[in-house]
Amino acid sequence: MPELITPDPRVQASFLEAHTEIGTDAGHGWSDADRWLGLMSGREPVQRVESLLQPEAFAAFCADQRLLAEEDAPRPDGYVADTVLWWVDGNQWLGRLSVRHRLTRSLRDIGGHIGYVVRPSARRRGHATAMLVAALPVARGLGIDQALVTCDHDNLPSRRVIEKAGGVLEDRRGVKLRYWVPTG
Ligand SMILES: CC(C)(COP(=O)(O)OP(=O)(O)OC[C@H]1O[C@@H](n2cnc3c(N)ncnc32)[C@H](O)[C@@H]1OP(=O)(O)O)[C@@H](O)C(=O)NCCC(=O)NCCS
């Protein structure tokens, strides 16, 4: 049974293997491997995947990802604390989700509270939907009663995920559809 966990070094091999699937991720323009790592770590690309091959380096990466949830952790201007969770089945890394603790103006317009990605080889098996539903109590625990979740208007898989998780469409701003998902 897949579960949400905080970033854990035990899934290193699978996490790195997922990175090699970028070549099959047609459709959203993520053809650059380091951009993919940025997506998998929730930040603009700052590290190359080669830098995570050593177990110690990967453990440090996991610790950094967990640290993002701390309110007083260092972060770039404009970023808020976010709880990063990995969707894993045993030692298999399937995807990533993050819950931003509060909305900035830009998150309110575009980014929303929750972002997620499923590795290409694991798509179309319900993982994103299950992962988002599993994260709703986490958001609730952070004091978020209604989670804002957004997606590009033409990202049909993500629209389905949000709607199946109970999302209610508020509006479209630019290319983004903005949904509110009750967390309780
Ligand atoms: C969007 C994404 C997370 C969906 O992950 P997933 O695990 O494949 O999603 P699910 O299996 O839960 O599928 C959800 C729904 O989308 C549908 N779907 C999935 N891929 C699809 C596709 N390529 N075309 C049309 N529908 C698709 C599924 O059939 C399912 O609908 P259904 O239950 O009515 O059949 C995944 O495609 C991804 O990581 N994309 C890149 C990152 C991204 O777009 N993140 C979201 C940003 S808002």
Side-chain angles (χ1 to χ4, degrees), residues 30 116 118 123-126 128-129 150 155 157-158 160 164:
W30 292 324
Y116 45 82
V118 169
R123 290 184 188 167
R124 306 206 74 160
R125 288 190 231 151
T129 307
T150 69
N155 189 341
S158 195
R160 286 290 300 145
K164 288 201 296 179

Side-chain angles (χ1 to χ4, degrees), residues 108 148-149 167-173 177-180:
R108 183 168 286 279
L148 180 65
V149 188
V168 177
L169 181 66
E170 178 175 295
D171 60 7
R172 174 174 167 174
R173 296 191 188 173
L177 296 177
R178 301 168 65 259
Y179 290 87
W180 293 96

Side-chain angles (χ1 to χ4, degrees), residues 84-166:
V84 175
L85 298 165
W86 288 354
W87 187 243
V88 303
D89 193 353
N91 286 344
Q92 285 301 307
W93 189 93
L94 298 170
R96 170 193 193 277
L97 175 147
S98 96
V99 185
R100 293 139 198 153
H101 294 193
R102 61 190 165 79
L103 296 176
T104 59
R105 183 173 181 151
S106 148
L107 289 174
R108 183 168 286 279
D109 282 340
I110 298 168
H113 281 112
I114 301 179
Y116 45 82
V117 61
V118 169
R119 65 188 289 177
S121 65
R123 290 184 188 167
R124 306 206 74 160
R125 288 190 231 151
H127 285 307
T129 307
M131 181 166 67
L132 178 56
V133 168
L136 295 176
V138 177
R140 192 163 190 83
L142 290 163
I144 300 166
D145 294 335
Q146 300 274 336
L148 180 65
V149 188
T150 69
C151 66
D152 286 0
H153 70 93
D154 58 355
N155 189 341
L156 296 182
S158 195
R159 285 178 67 166
R160 286 290 300 145
V161 168
I162 299 168
E163 287 166 5
K164 288 201 296 179

